[in-house]
Amino acid sequence: MIDFPRGREVVLGIGAGIAAYKSCDLLRRLQDQGFLVTVVPTPSSLNFVGRATWEALSGREVKSEVWEGTQAVSHVALAEKADLLLIAPATADLIAKLASGRADDLLTTTALATTAPVIVVPAMHPGMYLNLATQSNIETLRARGITVLEPDYGRLTGKDSGIGRFPETSRIIEAVNGISGTEGRLVGKKVVITAGGTVEAIDPVRFIGNRSSGRQGLAIAFEALREGADVTLICAQTEEFLLEGIKRIDVTSAVEMQESLKAELKGADALVMAAAVADARPVSKSAEKIGKATYKTIELTENPDLLAEAAREKLTHQVFVGFAAETGAGIRERGLKKLHSKGVDLLYVTDVSGGKVFGEELTTGSLLNKRGESWDFVSIDKFELGRKIIGEIAKEMEMTNG
Ligand code: CTP
């Protein structure tokens, strides 16, 4: 089972302020940025926005009391799962509770139990916000390393105006991105990624396959999600994995992958061809298991080169990334040649002499781009390479699309 790094899980705490309704949009924007959000409303906040709304928007179960589903010990489970706790809106009462360490509902118990970074977004009447009690509580939270955003000035509920307005969603997202180390560079972009090794059937029980684990493609998919991309993963044979938030299409052979690619490339902004596509397949798949007596030779026919074929139809705004697995001397030069012959913007060439790389967590190779730039990597984590590739894709997009 492939383990993904942490960093995508946000627990969104909702306090009992009218601004709770604005957090419905905040939740959507967090999802756009690739975060997986569990909403924890305080019981009284449900007067403003009900559980059904949070469940429908988050697609996850919503609890507000520690007494719901006690066997799961929800506050501890949530506290451990959270990569970030974002409390928005936070009322004066909720801030006072957090400052004094009180814990009488699911949100405040989770806040006390978690070691994840915490962001608090106050929203209340100016009188309550400026009251020394609230200000002193905010100072206490800041002194503990909690990020407390300044509210906006402006119109409040009723006729009043002043400081205390819930900040613009973009300011909250900026704070979340800053703390989680992401930039949302691929928000609104569709990225198609292929991963794993294709399986070319010989008969109902035998096939021609390869040693790809799919790990590199999956690492790239994870990093694309972290930058907010809309990710389609066309998946041949891989190690088992579970990656929330992707559109997953399972395929077996190169020809099947070709069909999915054709459909998915429509409307795509980038293609990362990390799959190990078999160069050839048996001329025909025997309907029956081939007996020992006749299992001597397998006649092969060439598979289409999916990447080269897709690159011929590539639109100017699209960014394509290829991979090359080489053995022996002159690996980098061959990579460069392949970058041009395949017509891609970026290519990662890796040394697979002696079966290196397959299924491993580390990779050694060079990332090359069509401008002649290159980056060499020695035994780096495949997720780190994934981050670099996604960063270079974002740069290419910026350069071509302005
Ligand atoms: N690829 C593909 N279709 C194929 C074979 C490969 O799209 N039939 C893609 C791979 O996903 C990878 C890149 O092309 O991104 C490089 O593949 P490589 O393993 O180097 O295969 P070939 O291009 O066939 O090169 P060689 O002749 O060295 O095997």
Side-chain angles (χ1 to χ4, degrees):
M1 187 86 166
I2 293 181
D3 267 338
F4 292 94
R6 296 190 55 147
R8 294 181 68 210
E9 287 286 349
V10 172
V11 170
L12 175 61
I14 310 289
I18 180 64
Y21 84 90
K22 294 188 178 175
S23 281
C24 296
D25 179 56
L26 174 62
L27 163 55
R28 279 288 194 233
R29 301 290 82 79
L30 286 167
Q31 290 169 327
D32 287 347
Q33 303 277 322
F35 292 106
L36 301 165
V37 187
T38 306
V39 183
V40 184
T42 62
S44 43
S45 80
L46 296 173
N47 288 306
F48 287 114
V49 178
R51 191 187 303 262
T53 302
W54 295 125
E55 287 193 341
L57 290 176
S58 69
R60 289 181 167 186
E61 192 186 8
V62 169
K63 294 182 199 163
S64 58
E65 298 277 16
V66 227
W67 310 115
E68 297 169 68
T70 41
Q71 76 284 4
V73 202
S74 302
H75 63 296
V76 176
L78 278 168
E80 277 171 8
K81 179 168 146 170
D83 296 313
L84 182 87
L85 172 61
L86 171 63
I87 304 180
T91 58
D93 180 55
L94 187 48
I95 289 170
K97 271 191 190 167
L98 293 170
S100 60
R102 285 189 54 204
D104 60 357
D105 58 24
L106 188 55
L107 177 56
T108 47
T109 45
T110 303
L112 210 51
T114 195
T115 54
V118 180
I119 301 178
V120 171
V121 185
M124 66 197 75
H125 186 271
M128 295 173 87
Y129 179 71
L130 294 170
N131 187 292
L132 289 183
T134 308
Q135 287 301 310
S136 144
N137 287 332
I138 288 175
E139 279 320 304
T140 302
L141 296 186
R142 287 194 173 131
R144 285 187 199 140
I146 290 176
T147 302
V148 184
L149 296 195
E150 278 289 314
D152 278 354
Y153 280 87
R155 205 185 127 212
L156 298 148
T157 325
K159 293 188 187 116
D160 291 343
S161 70
I163 190 167
R165 264 173 74 87
F166 194 66
E168 289 303 321
T169 308
S170 56
R171 188 146 73 84
I172 303 173
I173 294 287
E174 214 174 282
V176 170
N177 278 344
I179 286 182
S180 61
T182 56
E183 294 174 53
R185 285 175 295 177
L186 297 181
V187 172
K189 304 285 185 196
K190 177 178 176 183
V191 178
V192 177
I193 298 164
T194 64
T198 63
V199 166
E200 312 295 334
I202 298 167
D203 66 17
V205 293
R206 305 185 184 93
F207 62 85
I208 299 171
N210 61 67
R211 297 178 58 199
S212 169
S213 65
R215 183 176 275 274
Q216 186 61 73
L218 287 163
I220 295 166
F222 176 83
E223 296 301 338
L225 285 171
R226 292 250 299 146
E227 284 301 325
D230 169 4
V231 177
T232 298
L233 186 78
I234 304 177
C235 198
Q237 184 161 277
T238 65
E239 260 180 60
E240 261 182 69
F241 73 93
L242 197 75
L243 185 55
E244 254 185 90
I246 52 165
K247 175 178 176 187
R248 174 174 174 168
I249 301 170
D250 288 302
V251 296
T252 45
S253 64
V255 170
E256 261 187 50
M257 184 172 274
Q258 182 184 32
E259 281 163 24
S260 295
L261 253 184
K262 268 189 193 148
E264 290 303 324
L265 277 177
K266 288 191 190 100
D269 298 287
L271 167 67
V272 181
M273 197 71 199
V277 185
D279 286 322
R281 66 179 184 278
V283 168
S284 61
K285 177 190 165 187
S286 167
E288 306 295 333
K289 185 182 169 194
I290 305 169
K292 207 186 300 176
T294 47
Y295 195 54
K296 309 276 188 225
T297 55
I298 306 164
E299 202 189 331
L300 299 178
T301 182
E302 205 179 324
N303 264 333
D305 187 324
L306 310 191
L307 182 55
E309 197 177 78
R312 279 194 286 276
E313 313 255 294
K314 179 175 166 318
L315 304 170
T316 43
H317 79 278
Q318 292 180 319
V319 179
F320 280 13
V321 185
F323 278 75
E326 306 286 346
T327 56
I331 284 174
R332 190 194 173 88
E333 291 62 39
R334 270 183 281 150
L336 211 49
K337 236 171 138 183
K338 212 167 261 187
L339 175 119
H340 295 295
S341 68
K342 298 245 181 189
V344 293
D345 303 279
L346 288 152
L347 185 127
Y348 181 70
V349 56
T350 175
D351 182 357
V352 288
S353 313
K356 272 188 287 188
V357 175
F358 294 107
E360 286 177 13
E361 288 180 12
L362 305 180
T363 174
T364 293
S366 304
L367 180 64
L368 317 167
N369 77 7
K370 63 182 178 197
R371 281 171 240 285
E373 291 175 292
S374 66
W375 301 267
D376 296 326
F377 304 102
V378 179
S379 297
I380 61 155
D381 193 283
K382 288 180 176 173
F383 283 92
E384 202 180 323
L385 177 65
R387 214 160 18 254
K388 174 70 183 166
I389 290 175
I390 288 300
E392 288 306 314
I393 291 176
K395 264 204 237 164
E396 283 293 333
M397 281 181 182
E398 233 179 289
M399 275 189 253
T400 44
N401 309 331

